[in-house]
Amino acid sequence: MLLTDTHTHLYYEQDSEKQAQLMERCFENNVNRLFLPNVDAKSIAMIDDLVAKYPDNCFAMAGLHPCDVKEDFLALLDEIYNSIAERKIYAIGEIGIDLYWDKSTLAIQQDAFRKQIGWAKSLGLPIVIHCREAFEEVFEVLESERDEKLRGIFHCFTGNLAQAKQAIDLNFYLGIGGVVTYKKAGLDAVIADIPLAHLVLETDSPYLAPVPFRGKPNESSYLIYIAQKLADIYGVSIEEIAAVTTQNSKNIFGV
């Protein structure tokens, strides 16, 4: 069985011994592919360090998280973009719009989002979208950018069925994480009406730990619990969930 975590910040753990233990627990749970979203300029080196340690297992992205889009965002974008030429990356992400923390930066978040979508199209890469309390605003940008080059993942998808279908119509997969295991979230009912062919798995570690670890720090090895929840929803084996979602990740990232 081969599981793929399409979105993990495992590199946040900078204690080398603890980091190695996190990776070992991944391997014990068959989580052998980890995709690392970038959030700012400082995280580039942390991601590259983890990729260097585990080149067969860890894969880098590059992007500016919407919560890090501040007045100096253009300079940050230049710094991140200039790093791409020297590195192997598999997506532009995580990028998007977040109106949970600060609605006043919407205009510059939209600007940064569009610029990074442009990077992805020019490089032939998918994008990985962060969308929090901003479905309408994200879809507005995506619809205006819709073409055959636009594709990727809606990270940590928590929308309704109509939003799921719109995302899929825009050529996006839905990233399903720990929220699907939360009883009152309702995400299980939404994805029950979505074919497995449109889903990928993720943890967003160290955030959003699945049941039975909800409220505690998340880690990529816990992907097994998310996979098991999907197996229960779809009435198939966890091996089938792993096989289909890993193939979906290969379709997106090309590796």
Side-chain angles (χ1 to χ4, degrees), residues 198-220:
H198 299 297
L199 307 184
V200 292
L201 303 182
E202 62 166 71
T203 60
D204 198 23
S205 70
Y207 313 111
L208 297 173
V211 175
F213 303 102
R214 187 176 183 181
K216 299 177 181 178
N218 198 6
E219 56 182 76
S220 287

Side-chain angles (χ1 to χ4, degrees), residues 58-71:
C58 293
F59 307 92
M61 306 182 203
L64 182 62
H65 191 291
C67 290
D68 289 288
V69 175
K70 309 295 183 186
E71 290 182 1

Side-chain angles (χ1 to χ4, degrees), residues 36 43-53 60 87-89:
L36 312 175
S43 59
I44 293 171
M46 292 189 285
I47 290 172
D48 286 352
D49 177 66
L50 190 59
V51 170
K53 290 177 183 175
R87 312 162 65 220
K88 176 62 177 174
I89 65 164

